[in-house]
Amino acid sequence: MAKLTIEELRRIRDEAKRSRTLREGEGKARITVHMGTCGIASGAREVMNALLGAIDEHGIQDVLVTTSGCAGLCSHEPMATVEYRDTPPVKYAKLTPESIVRVLLEHADKGAIVREHALAIGSEKMS
Amino acid sequence: MKELALHILDIAENSLRAGASRIDIEIVEDPAEDTVRVAITDDGRGMDEETLKKALDPFFTTKDVRKVGMGLSLLRQAARRTGGDLRVQSRPGEGTAVTAEFVRSHIDRQPLGDMASTITAVLLQNPAIELRYHHAIGADGFTFDTSQVRSVLDGVPLSDPEVLQFIGNLIRERQQLT
Ligand SMILES: Nc1ncnc2c1ncn2[C@@H]1O[C@H](COP(=O)(O)OP(=O)(O)OP(=O)(O)O)[C@@H](O)[C@H]1O
Ligand SMILES: [Mg+2]
């Protein structure tokens, strides 16, 4: 683990400033993690954590992460929605720290829906 | 909820949704008095008397996707299970203070859990938030304040993944020393 000093924070700042110019624009995908009470109780925070860790680890620059409240499908939490370029949003259900990383690397980064974990509108399994 | 830190995240979600620009999270553990007091204070839109009264009713929510709200009543249940209780003070246009008190040694008192992840999850959602987090156990304690890092960051958002990792590690390290 890097040392937790002001110097380290300055280094992170300078690096972020440098890479931000490359990052201009909208980004190719957005992942929205649902953070209502049911989501939080069933593991949304850990899913979010894994997602941020993987984005950092893989140096992914053009995937945005946001959050939303409860989506009304409490028994399917933790959930996340992926919007990749102009394709329709896909909801993923019962996510784990492992499956969200797959969703990040395959769908948000490369555009391939991870059907195993996807949930179509109307709660039907895709595939 | 398995951890107090998850309740705290859930209550802070309410603050974010209420448009808060400042959130104060305070955890005071008093071994002598055998209490843990958790207080989350925000400067969001607040609640009028009627909303406040209903807020603790598990069948009330102002959300439109679902008919029941659970966050506050769940925390109240958790506090009461230990012999403690929950108090909510709020004023429209000024903000809200949620205080939960627990009996520290009670078998049902949830562990504090991963506060570092709770704080970074809040910052990710509103990188412009002014957040202060204070944790004390008896005479020991530490404070994290977003103003400490923001002054160094010079416009780089707190939601930057590397910045969030840094803040998470900082809180984790301090927590261990407490
Ligand atoms: N900090 C706050 N500021 C303003 N209003 C609040 C605050 N906290 C709670 N409320 C009001 O009280 C209601 C109940 O809150 P509670 O957390 O119990 O349920 P909820 O947020 O509606 O749903 P969820 O189960 O996802 O938490 C909210 O819908 C909101 O109207
Ligand atoms: Mg809530």
Side-chain angles (χ1 to χ4, degrees):
Chain A
M1 189 171 77
K3 280 209 295 293
L4 299 168
T5 59
I6 298 250
E7 289 70 50
E8 170 64 6
L9 191 56
R10 289 202 184 101
R11 185 197 65 72
I12 292 171
R13 172 196 66 197
D14 294 341
E15 196 181 292
K17 280 184 173 173
R18 233 174 295 126
S19 60
R20 196 147 48 146
T21 38
L22 304 172
R23 223 184 291 178
E24 295 288 304
E26 283 289 272
K28 67 184 170 202
R30 177 204 299 274
I31 304 182
T32 304
V33 181
H34 302 202
M35 292 286 258
T37 300
C38 310
I40 292 171
S42 52
R45 191 190 60 185
E46 284 62 40
V47 164
M48 166 86 89
N49 240 343
L51 183 58
L52 290 176
I55 286 176
D56 195 23
E57 183 190 333
H58 295 270
I60 294 170
Q61 306 262 317
D62 43 8
V63 173
L64 304 172
V65 179
T66 56
T67 60
S68 70
C70 170
L73 295 167
C74 303
S75 60
H76 296 283
E77 300 281 4
M79 292 180 62
T81 306
V82 175
E83 294 156 273
Y84 180 81
R85 296 200 197 275
D86 300 327
T87 60
V90 175
K91 278 193 165 57
Y92 288 96
K94 298 197 170 153
L95 288 164
T96 62
E98 293 74 37
S99 56
I100 190 70
V101 173
R102 247 190 94 189
V103 168
L104 167 72
L105 298 178
E106 293 176 25
H107 190 180
D109 196 35
K110 299 199 181 69
I113 295 174
V114 184
R115 293 183 180 273
E116 246 176 280
H117 301 293
L119 188 81
I121 298 160
S123 313
E124 277 169 6
K125 266 277 204 213
M126 309 214 349
S127 89
Chain B
M1 301 273 182
K2 280 187 289 225
E3 309 172 355
L4 293 181
L6 290 172
H7 278 294
I8 292 170
L9 175 58
D10 189 37
I11 299 303
E13 292 290 323
N14 289 343
S15 302
L16 290 169
R17 205 147 34 83
S21 53
R22 180 191 291 273
I23 301 179
D24 194 272
I25 299 171
E26 201 167 79
I27 301 166
V28 177
E29 300 189 45
D30 189 332
E33 295 277 328
D34 197 25
T35 56
V36 179
R37 191 171 46 80
V38 174
I40 299 108
T41 310
D42 69 56
D43 66 351
R45 76 177 64 88
M47 291 173 263
D48 59 32
E49 230 161 279
E50 200 188 339
T51 312
L52 180 58
K53 218 161 60 202
K54 288 191 199 149
L56 282 166
D57 174 351
F59 297 105
F60 172 75
T61 175
T62 55
K63 290 179 171 181
D64 51 9
V65 286
R66 182 159 41 83
K67 289 291 175 297
V68 291
M70 299 200 316
L72 284 167
S73 47
L74 212 60
L75 178 55
R76 181 168 67 177
Q77 274 175 34
R80 286 188 174 169
R81 265 202 305 275
T82 72
D85 209 348
L86 176 93
R87 204 171 62 239
V88 185
Q89 290 163 294
S90 191
R91 248 171 217 273
E94 286 182 26
T96 302
V98 175
T99 311
E101 195 160 286
F102 298 80
V103 172
R104 190 165 181 258
S105 63
H106 195 284
I107 183 124
D108 288 333
R109 205 264 297 171
Q110 297 128 299
L112 181 56
D114 185 1
M115 275 306 293
S117 297
T118 284
I119 300 291
T120 52
V122 172
L123 296 178
L124 172 81
Q125 296 178 71
N126 183 358
I129 200 96
E130 285 176 54
L131 186 144
R132 194 188 74 103
Y133 166 52
H134 179 73
H135 180 198
I137 304 179
D140 296 323
F142 79 92
T143 304
F144 167 79
D145 195 318
T146 46
S147 65
Q148 295 161 348
V149 282
R150 207 167 267 129
S151 61
V152 177
L153 284 175
D154 185 28
V156 169
L158 269 84
S159 54
D160 180 280
E162 251 199 289
V163 172
L164 284 180
Q165 298 276 18
F166 179 89
I167 293 172
N169 288 337
L170 188 74
I171 293 172
R172 238 164 247 129
E173 192 190 70
R174 299 281 201 81
Q175 199 107 282
Q176 275 165 14
L177 300 177
T178 307

